[in-house]
Amino acid sequence: MSLRPALVALLLLSGLWPGLVAARTVYRCVQGSTVSLATAPEPGSRCTPKEIDDSAVQTPNLWGNMGVFSGVLYEREQDGKLVYSTRNLPGSRVFLKFTVATPPGEPAHEGLGKVGKPQLAQHAKQFKAAAKATGVDDAWLRAIAHAESNFDALAVSSKGAQGVMQLMPDTALEYGVRDPFSPQQSIDGGARYMRALLRRYNGDRPLAAAAYNAGIGAVARYKGVPPYAETLAYVDKVMALYTRYREAMGIRIEVPAK
């Protein structure tokens, strides 16, 4: 690989987008509680492919909410080919060093919920049941509810979204929510809607959150997170809350691999 393609690979891995290359696959690899980005699946890691399109308005953040950190892009041979990864695996050699800023922990947002301390007591049984029924993890559902309504069962937005999960009437109807102000029905419907979004976007949480906020059509139109100020702030906020709820629930937090 020449220097220019390698630099492009680094820009892709660190969440920047030069607009110089065609769509390609980047792998988000998790091993224990550490995360790396790579141009090929890593041995010993659980890797998820992420297709990145150079026509996307907003490049997806593949790291998660990890603040500002410095790392190393390593080069090594794998199956007879040169591959690149931010994890130091056997046979790796340092290729380039980088610094990347992932979403901040206290973004501004005009929604009802404010970024703050996790509220684990709010509708705890309903969130646990919805998570078990849908397979969408409890911490993620709580992050959405926190950002949307601050867990207020009677909340109504200026756009007409209702209840704990702030479902729009058409969405509530689609997912069988007869009483949008019932915490159980709202959380159950919101969880099933979120499951559908996560399946649509192959587990990409920022895209699922963006669609929850701005709609599936907007995500399709912009081929990624829509460049609306409210939606960008909302996605950052939900990702920050997700980290806080995972911490509060004793779930190991992901950190960059070294």
Side-chain angles (χ1 to χ4, degrees), residues 54-219:
D54 65 346
S55 63
V57 173
Q58 178 77 10
T59 305
N61 165 41
L62 303 184
W63 289 107
N65 183 30
M66 298 180 180
V68 179
F69 67 89
S70 296
V72 176
L73 181 67
Y74 296 96
E75 180 186 66
R76 73 179 191 284
E77 290 187 11
Q78 180 173 307
D79 299 326
K81 299 179 180 179
L82 284 179
V83 298
Y84 296 82
S85 169
T86 59
R87 189 186 302 277
N88 188 6
L89 294 171
S92 295
R93 48 190 173 270
V94 174
F95 187 76
L96 285 171
K97 296 182 179 181
F98 64 90
T99 298
V100 61
T102 63
E106 291 283 357
H109 179 56
E110 296 179 356
L112 296 174
K114 306 299 181 182
V115 176
K117 295 181 180 179
Q119 303 177 49
L120 297 181
Q122 297 282 1
H123 312 300
K125 291 182 179 180
Q126 290 88 343
F127 280 111
K128 184 176 181 180
K132 182 177 181 180
T134 62
V136 180
D137 67 292
D138 196 333
W140 181 246
L141 294 177
R142 289 174 185 270
I144 295 291
H146 187 141
E148 289 286 348
S149 71
N150 202 30
F151 302 101
D152 183 356
L154 302 180
V156 179
S157 78
S158 60
K159 296 180 181 179
Q162 301 170 319
V164 173
M165 302 300 285
Q166 288 289 278
L167 297 173
M168 294 297 288
D170 288 348
T171 303
L173 184 64
E174 180 180 356
Y175 287 91
V177 178
R178 297 180 180 179
D179 179 3
F181 301 112
S182 161
Q184 180 176 348
Q185 290 189 37
S186 181
I187 293 168
D188 179 67
R192 287 187 286 120
Y193 179 41
M194 180 54 69
R195 176 177 62 185
L197 292 176
L198 288 169
R199 286 176 174 175
R200 173 182 286 269
Y201 301 116
N202 297 315
D204 189 312
R205 294 182 188 278
L207 281 183
Y212 199 98
N213 177 264
I216 292 171
V219 172

